[in-house]
Amino acid sequence: MRFLKILFWSILALISAPIMGLSAIALYLSPSLPDVETLRDVQLQTPLRIYSTDSKLIAEFGEMRRIPISYDQVPENFINAILAAEDDNFLNHHGVDPMSLMRAVSELVQTGSIQTGGSTITMQVAKNYFLTSDRVFSRKLNEILLALQIERSLSKREIFELYVNKIYLGNRAYGIEAAAQVYYGTSIDQLPLSDLAMIAGLPKAPSRYNPISNPERTLLRRDWILGRMLSLGFIDQDEYDLAVANPITATNHGSNPELEAPYVAEMARLEMLSKFGEDAYINGYHVYTTVDSKLQTLANTSLRGGLMSYDQRHGYRGPEAQHPDSNPADWPDLLRSYRGMGGLLPAIVTSVGTDKVTIQLRGGAMGEISWDAMRWARPYLNANSMGPNPRQPADVLAVGDIIRVVGLEDIQFRLSQVPTAQSALVALSPQDGSVQALIGGFSFVQSNYNRVTQARRQPGSSFKPFLYAAALDNGYSPASMVNDAPLVFVDEYLDSAWRPQNSGGDFLGPIRLREALYRSRNLVSIRLMQDLGVDKALSYIEHFGFSRADLPRNLSASLGTPELTPLQIAQGYTTIANGGYAVKPYLIERIEDHRGQILEVSTAAVTPGAKKIHEERLARYAQAANFADPNFNLPELPEAEQVIDPRTTYQLTSMLQDVITRGTASRARELQRGDLAGKTGTTNDQKDAWFAGYNGDFVTISWVGFDQPSTLGRREYGGTAALPIWMEFMAGALKDRPEHSQAMPEGLTTVRIDPATGRTARPGSSNGFFEVFKEEDAPPPWDEIESGAYPSGGSDAIPQGLF
C-alpha cells in the first residue's frame, strides 16, 4: 500500500512538474506578448493599384502582391485543401494540437532541434503576424501562448481569413487571391480543384514547390494533398481521379494589368508618392484616374501606327543584330534578351526564299513574312534619302538576322523596326482638364521618359493661336488686313541681321488675319507681336496657363520658340475650346483605401456647362457615404475662372476651323466633321512636328520628333507627321458623338465683307462672304464707307506699322 502511494505521488509530480514549469514560463512570457485583439484591425501590406476611370487595372506598385479577400469568398474546396495540407484538426482544437506538439517535442529530444514544429493554422497566424521565423524554443512557447489567446478572441472563420491573406506563396504573391492571379491570371473562385490543391501546397515551402520552377515536385505535393482530401472524405473518388489527371498549368502572369497605360501609371505613382511617401506602396490605396480605357487603347494604337508609318517612309535600317553562323539550337537563347516593344515582336530569320522568309519568334513559334510584307524596306541612307527598291527577300534579310515583326493573321507577319523617332499624344477634356488618354512615347519598355510632361520642345506655329487671341482682344478682327512682307531686324549684339521667312520663302502682301492663320504666315505673326508689344502680348498669353518664365521676351516668341511640353500646349488649347475658362490638367479622380472607402475626391475647377455633371458625381459619393473618415465632407466644387472673352475664343475657333477646311491640316477633312479646329506646327529644319486640335469634347495634342533634336526630313511637317496620329485618335474618340462646338455668344455679329480689303462688301458684289465680328469692332455699313463718314476704329483702323 505504501508503495502505491509513493508511486501515485511520483507520477503526479512527474505530470505536475512540466505543467507547473510551463505555467511559470507562461506567466513570465505573458506580459511581453502582444495584444491579439489588434488582429481585428490589422492592415496587411497591400500594393498601390492604379485604375482607369472605368475600373480597368493599369498597374500595381509594391514589393508584396496581395489582394485580401473575406472568408465567404474562399472556395470550400480550397478550405478543405488547406486543412488537408496544414491542419486537418483545425476545426476541433483550441489553437494547439497536442499530438502534433508531442511529435515536435520528440524530434527536439532526439535531434536537439525543432524539425516540423507541430504548428496549427492558428499558431502559424500567431507567428506570421507577431513573431519571427527563428526556430528557437522561446519563440515556440510564445507561438503556443498567442495561439491559445487568438482562439479565445477570434472565431475560426476570422483566424482562417487572416491566415489565407497573409501567407507567402512565391513570386511576390502574398495571400491566396494574389497567388491565383499570379499563377493562373484569374480569381481564386474560378479555379478547378486541381489548381486549388496546387496553391494549398505552397505554404509549406513556396520555393521548393514553386509550380513554375519546380513543376515535377509541385505535382507530387499537389497529388499528395488530393490523396489526403480523399482519405478525409472532403472529395470522392471521381473528383480525385479527375483532379490528379490534370497537369500543372501555372505560368507567371505578373501583375496582370487590364489596360496598357504605363506612362499614366507612372504619373499616378509619383503623385501618390508625393502625398503619402513610402506608405503609398504598402497601404493598399486604389487610385482611380480620369483615363478612359477605350480612349487610352486608341491613343496607343494611333501613336504607334503613325510613328511606324513615318519611320517606314524613310527606309529600313537593317536588323538589330546578325548571327549568320549561329546554330539553330541557339536561336531561342539569342532571342531571350529581346523584349516585345510597342507591339513589335522580336524574331530571327531561319530561311530566305524567293517570295518569303521564315522566322522564329521569341518563345519558339514559327512564322512567315511574304514579299509584299517586306518590299517597303528600301535601305535608309539619311532623313532625306533612301537606297534602291529591293527586288527579292535576299536584298532585305539573311538567315540569323534579329528583326522586328508585326502580326497580321495566323502565321503571317510584316517586317517592321523600332522607330528611332519618338512621339507623344495627350487628350484632355476642355470642360474640366481631366486627362482622357496619354502616351508619352512609343514604348515604356524602350524609354520611360514621358514626353507629354517632360519633353520641352518648340511648338512652332501651333503656338500662334495664343498670339492671335491677344490680337483679337486688342482691336483686331478676323478680317483685319496685315502685310505679309519681308522684315529685317538688326541687333548690335548679333553678328548678322535677323531676316524671318515664311515656310515657303514667299510673301503674299496684305492678307486678312483669318487667312494668315490658316496659311500660317510667319511675318504676320511677327508684325502682330510688334504692334501689340512683346510684354503686352506675353502678359496676355499667360492667361492660357503658361508661366512667364517659359516665354522668351523677344519677337521670335510669335513663331513658337518658347520651349513647352505637349501637356502645357494642351492646357492652353482647353481655354480656347471651352469658351475662355482656365482649367488645369489633372489625372486622379479619386483615391480609395484598401477597403474601398473614399479618402480623396478630385474637386478640380470646371466650366459652368460641366458643373452639373460633376455635382451629380459628388452627390453619388455622398449618397453612398462610403468614406474612410465618417466626418469627411465633400468640398465645394469650384467654377473655373473666365480668363478670355468668349467672343474671342469663338472667333479664334472659327479661324482654326479654316486650318482644317482649307489650310495646312486639310487632310483632316477626311473625318467629315464640322466641329474640328486646330493648328499645325513645324520648327526649323523640321525638328518638331505638331498638331493641336479640338472640338467641344476633346483637346488632343500630337507631337513627333527625335529626343536629341534633328531633322525629321525635308518633307515632314506637322500636317504629314503629327496630323495623321491626331486624326486616327479623334476619328475613334468622336465616333457616334454628335458635333460639339462653342455656341455663338452674345455681342457678336456677322458682316458680309470684301476679301480683298476686309471691309464691308459693296452691295451686289459677287465675291463677298460673311465674317464674324465683335459688335464694337464691326466695319461700318457700305454707305458710310462710300460717303467717308465712317468712324475711326474697327477693322479699318490698322496701325500703319503693319504695312
Side-chain angles (χ1 to χ4, degrees), residues 555-778:
L555 286 173
S556 69
S558 64
L559 305 183
T561 59
E563 294 185 342
L564 302 165
T565 67
L567 187 61
Q568 289 176 295
I569 296 295
Q571 178 180 352
Y573 271 80
T574 59
T575 303
I576 303 173
N578 65 28
Y581 293 93
V583 297
K584 294 182 178 180
Y586 72 98
L587 179 65
I588 295 179
E589 193 273 330
R590 72 182 185 278
I591 302 170
E592 297 180 356
D593 66 12
H594 66 285
R595 298 182 297 257
Q597 294 181 319
I598 296 172
L599 295 172
E600 291 186 19
V601 175
S602 168
T603 53
V606 302
T607 64
K611 192 169 184 178
K612 182 178 179 182
I613 295 174
H614 284 269
E615 286 176 338
E616 290 173 351
R617 170 179 63 91
L618 296 180
R620 287 195 299 271
Y621 294 147
Q623 187 176 10
N626 189 29
F627 300 105
D629 179 359
N631 299 316
F632 180 81
N633 291 316
L634 290 168
E636 192 71 23
L637 190 66
E639 187 172 299
E641 180 186 2
Q642 179 101 49
V643 294
I644 304 294
D645 187 335
R647 299 178 302 168
T648 297
T649 61
Y650 184 87
Q651 288 178 305
L652 188 58
T653 294
S654 172
M655 297 163 70
L656 291 172
Q657 286 173 337
D658 277 1
V659 174
I660 290 176
T661 58
R662 66 184 72 182
T664 54
S666 59
R667 291 178 60 178
R669 287 183 296 182
E670 297 173 13
L671 300 183
Q672 297 182 350
R673 294 185 65 101
D675 60 340
L676 299 179
K679 186 71 186 74
T680 55
T682 309
T683 59
N684 288 344
D685 299 322
Q686 291 78 44
K687 292 179 180 178
D688 297 275
W690 296 76
F691 189 74
Y694 62 92
N695 78 336
D697 296 318
F698 301 107
V699 168
T700 301
I701 309 298
S702 61
W703 165 86
V704 176
F706 290 95
D707 285 338
Q708 297 300 320
S710 63
T711 182
L712 290 164
R714 58 174 170 262
R715 292 180 294 274
E716 300 292 352
Y717 300 92
T720 53
L723 178 61
I725 296 173
W726 183 91
M727 289 173 58
E728 182 73 16
F729 176 81
M730 291 294 274
L734 296 175
K735 185 179 180 181
D736 300 325
R737 285 178 177 258
E739 294 194 354
H740 182 192
S741 290
Q742 180 188 353
M744 179 182 280
E746 295 182 359
L748 290 174
T749 186
T750 55
V751 177
R752 190 167 178 270
I753 65 165
D754 182 342
T757 65
R759 300 178 178 180
T760 306
R762 181 189 300 272
S765 64
S766 59
N767 63 343
F769 62 87
F770 286 96
E771 183 58 272
V772 60
F773 294 88
K774 295 175 183 174
E775 290 179 347
E776 65 270 25
D777 295 332

Side-chain angles (χ1 to χ4, degrees), residues 12-22:
L12 184 62
L14 287 172
I15 294 173
S16 301
I19 294 175
M20 293 176 66
L22 290 172

Side-chain angles (χ1 to χ4, degrees), residues 85-86 97-109 111-120 123-124 127 133 135 139-140 143 203-204:
E86 297 290 325
D97 188 337
M99 294 300 295
S100 296
L101 275 182
M102 288 177 64
R103 185 167 58 251
V105 170
S106 175
E107 291 174 351
L108 177 62
V109 171
T111 66
S113 62
I114 299 173
Q115 301 294 319
T116 59
S119 293
T120 63
M123 292 168 67
Q124 291 184 59
K127 180 185 72 173
S133 297
R135 288 181 175 270
R139 195 222 74 193
K140 197 61 166 181
E143 189 178 301
K204 183 177 179 64

